[in-house]
Amino acid sequence: MIYDERIETMSRDEMSALQLERLKKIVRYAYERVPFYTKKFDEAGLRPEDIRTLEDINKIPFTTKTDLRDNYPYGLMAVEMDDIVRVHASSGTSGKPTVVFYTKNDMEMWTECMARLVAAAGGTKNDIVQITFGYGLFTGALGLHQGWARIGASVVPASSGNTERQVMLMKDLGVTAIVGTPSYALHISEVMKKMGYKKEDFKLRIGMFGSEASSVEMHRELEEKLGVFPTDNYGLSEIIGPGVSGECEAKLGMHINEDHFYPEIVSRDTLEPLPDGEWGELVLTTLTKEGLPMLRYRTKDITRITRGRCDCGRTTARMDRIRGRSDDMLKIRGVNVFPSQIEGVLMSIDKITGNYEIIVTRDNHMDRLEIKVEVSDGSLLDSYANLENLVKEIKHKLKTVLQIDAKITLVSPDTLKRFEGKAKRVTDLRNI
């Protein structure tokens, strides 16, 4: 189902014309209302009227997460506080959160964008959807809630935690769709099994997963263990929250709501624009956001963009699943390693679960990579030969992908920490 056929099947020329009209407007709006952008433009010798084509966006300086922290809490807001109807925040590494603001029009736009993505994933008004994100300042839960409610579905705002209760609600209410992180969804499947249930005991059919990167292999495991059709969706609070892009039923990339968010891919090294199909850092500009406009925001997320009509009929640009974050990339013995690469390998191997931990240390100036992996059956640990063969298989497949050796430590089932929110898989001890 296409939620908004006029926008989602628009020709490229029509979309570009709409984007240019909105880009000119938002640039002037931000320049006139946000002192931060006034200063940025003036220092660059740039005026709003210098933006005449979409290519001229390259003249605009980047905005970064540091800019939000430096202007905490109200410095980047473009309206008065009495025009703000919602405040959200994401956790900050320096003690201060990244705070974001929404006007009434922003809330309407956000809800509309989420409704499109819910419809693209196959959601309908007949669904009963259980949201397992934590409700609160985090944008994920309420963002998805708004989209599902807009299409008329029945929403179960279960929030995170109390997994046995989550399972009970899913079964008793006949829940057909689940929203949350892919890692927590896998944990739910483990608890289902421990409670004596099979996936056939449930009516689940759709999974909308986000907040952390996931691999093709993880989606395959979610489909196998939960019986859902898994889809990715993407967003970040600085831009809107979830609602920037999401997979359709054709699963040929995540469709970007590009009438509201203008996407670019730039080189991680030079920050110069890259053509469609090239992997690089995603940069986003909000085209319609009133409360907190963002011009050329560096997401640090690594992906690529393709255009052209999708098998689902949509013509909006599509972004690939996130390969990793430029600031999450591990440089080990001169090799760039993304945690998503490791996850992709582990998920393709039988006899281990989807739970793992990556530990990086330094010994005598040499980087060491250790990966702790849970076996799916504890009896495997009783056989040295079986353990040795499994370790060899994992090491070989990782070496093929990463081009470096890793120490593999197999641990018993249910040993590694489970996460109700975004999973933290990497412990880098080199700077400690």
Side-chain angles (χ1 to χ4, degrees):
M1 180 179 79
I2 297 178
Y3 184 82
D4 186 344
E5 193 159 351
R6 184 183 69 84
I7 294 292
E8 296 179 78
T9 63
M10 192 177 270
S11 73
R12 180 48 47 190
D13 286 346
E14 289 174 316
M15 179 60 76
S16 294
L18 178 61
Q19 289 175 324
L20 180 57
E21 175 191 333
R22 290 181 170 179
L23 177 63
K24 289 178 178 178
K25 183 176 178 181
I26 199 68
V27 164
R28 181 165 295 281
Y29 177 87
Y31 179 81
E32 292 176 350
R33 288 173 171 257
V34 184
F36 167 83
Y37 282 118
T38 309
K39 185 171 183 245
K40 276 250 188 188
F41 271 57
D42 289 349
E43 287 175 348
L46 189 64
R47 300 286 298 173
E49 54 267 25
D50 294 334
I51 307 302
R52 301 183 183 93
T53 69
L54 286 177
E55 289 69 30
D56 287 337
I57 197 171
N58 299 324
K59 299 175 181 177
I60 300 173
F62 292 106
T63 307
T64 67
K65 194 165 192 123
T66 300
D67 293 326
L68 276 91
R69 290 182 182 137
D70 290 347
N71 288 277
Y72 171 90
Y74 296 124
L76 294 181
M77 203 163 66
V79 299
E80 296 299 322
M81 194 63 198
D82 56 6
D83 288 322
I84 295 298
V85 298
R86 178 80 67 81
V87 178
H88 278 285
S90 61
S91 58
T93 55
S94 59
K96 295 289 188 181
T98 299
V99 183
V100 293
F101 305 93
Y102 301 78
T103 66
K104 184 178 179 182
N105 287 337
D106 291 338
M107 292 300 299
E108 175 59 29
M109 177 268 284
W110 188 14
T111 301
E112 185 80 5
C113 285
M114 275 313 319
R116 293 181 193 174
L117 301 186
V118 168
T124 73
K125 69 182 297 295
N126 299 317
D127 279 303
I128 303 171
V129 57
Q130 188 158 321
I131 296 179
T132 66
F133 282 133
Y135 278 73
L137 288 173
F138 169 60
T139 56
L142 285 166
L144 271 295
H145 186 134
Q146 292 156 196
W148 280 95
R150 173 59 60 88
I151 70 165
S154 304
V155 181
V156 183
S159 197
S160 58
N162 203 337
T163 309
E164 289 192 3
R165 186 166 178 265
Q166 299 265 11
V167 172
M168 178 191 74
L169 289 171
M170 282 180 194
K171 187 172 187 304
D172 294 350
L173 296 175
V175 168
T176 59
I178 179 174
V179 167
T181 63
S183 55
Y184 186 52
L186 278 178
H187 178 51
I188 287 174
S189 73
E190 294 174 340
V191 173
M192 284 178 175
K193 188 175 180 181
K194 286 178 184 174
M195 292 173 69
Y197 294 125
K198 303 187 294 293
K199 65 182 178 183
E200 290 78 16
D201 296 324
F202 298 81
K203 295 182 179 179
L204 290 170
R205 68 179 195 91
I206 294 175
M208 282 190 78
F209 302 114
S211 188
E212 62 188 27
S214 61
S215 60
V216 172
E217 292 78 12
M218 178 172 270
H219 274 210
R220 194 175 297 127
E221 190 161 352
L222 286 163
E223 191 168 3
E224 178 186 327
K225 291 187 173 179
L226 283 175
V228 296
F229 176 76
T231 64
D232 264 336
N233 62 86
Y234 171 83
L236 58 168
S237 58
E238 300 92 319
I239 298 299
I240 192 69
V244 172
S245 67
E247 281 187 308
C248 66
E249 292 173 284
K251 287 178 76 78
L252 294 172
M254 290 184 279
H255 289 274
I256 302 170
N257 283 314
E258 55 173 330
D259 54 321
H260 295 292
F261 314 109
Y262 185 79
E264 303 172 76
I265 299 293
V266 301
S267 165
R268 298 201 306 272
D269 301 319
T270 67
L271 299 183
E272 290 299 313
L274 293 175
D276 288 353
E278 293 283 327
W279 289 92
E281 181 181 335
L282 177 66
V283 173
L284 291 168
T285 294
T286 61
L287 297 176
T288 57
K289 192 123 173 280
E290 294 178 340
L292 195 78
M294 286 282 114
L295 303 183
R296 300 198 82 200
Y297 183 77
R298 291 186 58 189
T299 69
K300 300 294 186 78
D301 290 320
I302 307 304
T303 185
R304 61 181 173 179
I305 289 176
T306 56
R307 300 179 205 268
R309 183 177 292 273
C310 177
D311 289 353
C312 71
R314 291 173 178 82
T315 55
T316 44
R318 284 162 282 150
M319 55 184 276
D320 214 308
R321 67 177 65 244
I322 301 300
R323 179 180 276 182
R325 289 179 57 83
S326 58
D327 52 0
D328 283 350
M329 183 183 75
L330 299 167
K331 203 168 190 75
I332 300 173
R333 300 197 290 277
V335 177
N336 295 339
V337 175
F338 287 102
S340 57
Q341 293 175 297
I342 295 173
E343 177 179 289
V345 171
L346 298 179
M347 288 291 182
S348 70
I349 298 173
D350 292 333
K351 301 178 183 176
I352 59 177
T353 73
N355 290 294
Y356 61 92
E357 182 181 1
I358 300 166
I359 302 170
V360 189
T361 56
R362 183 167 286 152
D363 182 26
N364 291 327
H365 309 293
M366 179 70 76
D367 291 338
R368 308 287 183 187
L369 175 64
E370 178 185 4
I371 303 171
K372 292 184 177 180
V373 185
E374 276 187 3
V375 296
S376 53
D377 183 351
S379 64
L380 277 169
L381 299 173
D382 298 330
S383 168
Y384 179 79
N386 287 342
L387 278 181
E388 190 175 36
N389 288 336
L390 184 53
V391 167
K392 281 181 179 177
E393 180 185 0
I394 297 171
K395 283 174 72 77
H396 172 72
K397 290 188 174 181
L398 283 170
K399 179 72 177 288
T400 301
V401 171
L402 304 179
Q403 303 304 309
I404 59 173
D405 287 313
K407 176 186 176 183
I408 305 301
T409 303
L410 299 178
V411 299
S412 302
D414 303 321
T415 301
L416 298 178
K417 185 177 179 181
R418 267 51 175 174
F419 298 90
E420 295 170 358
K422 189 179 294 188
K424 185 180 184 300
R425 304 287 194 189
V426 181
T427 303
D428 192 339
L429 301 174
R430 289 176 293 184
N431 296 320
I432 297 177

